[in-house]
Amino acid sequence: MTKEKFKTYEGVFDNFTLRTLFELSSKGHFEDLESPISIGKESNIFTALTKQGKRLIIKIYRLETCDFNRLYEYIQTDPRFLGLKKNRRKVIFAWCQREYRNLLNVRDANVPAPIPIAFKNNVLIEEFIGNQNPAPKLKDQYPQKPKEFLNQVIKIIKNLYQHNLTHGDLSAFNILNHNEKPVFIDFSHTTTKDNPRFRELFERDLKTIFNYFKKKGLKITYENLLKEIKK
Ligand SMILES: Nc1ncnc2c1ncn2[C@@H]1O[C@H](COP(=O)(O)OP(=O)(O)O)[C@@H](O)[C@H]1O
Ligand SMILES: [Mg+2]
């Protein structure tokens, strides 16, 4: 991407983020930024195109309007980030790095999730999940065969659990319905079993999924789902 092209993004991003994007682009990771597809609490999601015309996801953690106190609360007990200073940029960069590392780990475990491509500072690049358009979230597109879909979701939670991981922020917002198959996204909260908060996060994940499908009318019990995972 040329410096001139980047000038058009002045005002959209702060200068630091703009430089980070320019560096990632200069390394050849992407050529053209497209429009934002999501504005979240802490990050904005854009699609981008590579030189070859392949679509990617660019997740940009906002440096200014990001509740880094909340992020710090969560990352503080992660054994992989012990000793992290409570400094806005340091916390946000660690958060971004953690999501990248989590994506590598879960992909190694064969969990259906976006392939991580690169990260730098507050910017993460990952595989685009979708066909022409981004795959819909589970909450926006209920599966045609809910029981089968839930079984696959439980299998994924089990797989994560067997690899000593839990998603940490699992909900119908962070599961995509990609051609009727679940793909988990948003692994920034994902943590390992040696985190003292692992149990709490694991149970929260499973309860959220249980409550969602229960409300939709599936005949399930929390105990049975738990049994299935620990089997
Ligand atoms: N890899 C991806 N492929 C397609 N869509 C994505 C991808 N990652 C994120 N999205 C879309 O962007 C939204 C926000 O991304 P997410 O990582 O969940 O960030 P946050 O919830 O922190 O704002 C998702 O709900 C989804 O609609
Ligand atoms: Mg999300």
Side-chain angles (χ1 to χ4, degrees):
M1 208 186 238
T2 59
K3 274 242 153 67
E4 282 64 46
K5 230 188 214 173
F6 259 94
K7 278 218 154 59
T8 61
Y9 290 107
E10 277 173 12
V12 179
F13 304 108
D14 60 85
N15 281 334
F16 184 89
T17 301
L18 208 53
R19 257 200 317 276
T20 302
L21 284 168
F22 186 69
E23 280 173 43
L24 284 164
S25 171
S26 302
K27 286 213 174 107
H29 290 302
F30 69 94
E31 189 69 16
D32 281 304
L33 261 185
E34 298 183 299
S35 50
I37 61 167
S38 161
I39 310 289
K41 261 206 309 275
E42 266 94 29
S43 64
N44 299 344
I45 305 266
F46 290 78
T47 54
L49 292 176
T50 65
K51 238 193 189 120
Q52 292 76 32
K54 196 173 150 64
R55 187 158 283 135
L56 301 171
I57 288 286
I58 304 208
K59 184 169 186 173
I60 304 175
Y61 284 98
R62 288 192 304 273
L63 293 174
E64 313 297 334
T65 55
C66 167
D67 184 359
F68 86 104
N69 286 303
R70 195 182 76 85
L71 304 188
Y72 185 72
E73 281 306 306
Y74 274 101
I75 202 169
Q76 184 183 33
T77 56
D78 189 321
R80 297 172 295 176
F81 291 90
L82 290 182
L84 179 68
K85 295 244 161 43
K86 197 172 177 181
N87 161 286
R88 173 179 286 273
R89 283 204 180 172
K90 283 201 173 112
V91 170
I92 295 171
F93 297 173
W95 193 259
C96 182
Q97 187 201 64
R98 184 162 82 146
E99 183 162 9
Y100 180 85
R101 283 170 64 176
N102 284 333
L103 282 170
L104 283 182
N105 289 340
V106 304
R107 289 285 315 184
D108 273 350
N110 280 322
V111 165
I115 299 169
I117 295 166
F119 79 95
K120 190 178 175 71
N121 303 331
N122 57 326
V123 179
L124 170 67
I125 309 182
E126 62 180 48
E127 181 190 5
F128 171 85
I129 306 295
N131 302 320
Q132 228 12 59
N133 297 315
K137 301 185 228 317
L138 170 59
K139 76 150 182 92
D140 294 326
Q141 189 156 322
Y142 194 63
Q144 281 157 17
K145 296 178 178 165
K147 193 75 220 256
E148 273 177 31
F149 195 93
L150 171 62
N151 284 340
Q152 291 178 43
V153 168
I154 292 299
K155 251 198 189 150
I156 297 169
I157 299 175
K158 178 175 183 164
N159 190 2
L160 286 168
Y161 188 79
Q162 287 176 337
H163 285 86
N164 298 325
L165 294 165
T166 197
H167 181 280
D169 191 23
L170 199 57
S171 73
F173 288 80
N174 285 333
I175 298 176
L176 301 181
N177 178 349
H178 184 35
N179 306 327
E180 296 299 319
K181 292 222 159 49
V183 176
F184 285 18
I185 58 162
D186 200 357
F187 283 87
S188 59
H189 285 71
T190 303
T191 195
T192 46
K193 218 172 221 162
D194 49 1
N195 184 333
R197 291 185 68 182
F198 181 86
R199 221 194 144 66
E200 168 204 335
L201 293 172
F202 168 77
E203 281 171 3
R204 186 175 77 180
D205 281 350
L206 191 58
K207 277 205 180 104
T208 309
I209 293 306
F210 165 72
N211 287 335
Y212 177 78
F213 282 99
K214 178 86 189 169
K215 260 205 192 120
K216 292 285 188 184
L218 291 199
K219 296 205 175 12
I220 46 174
T221 67
Y222 179 77
E223 287 66 34
N224 279 344
L225 296 187
L226 188 63
K227 234 189 262 162
E228 192 55 43
I229 287 162
K230 299 216 166 160
K231 203 157 69 181

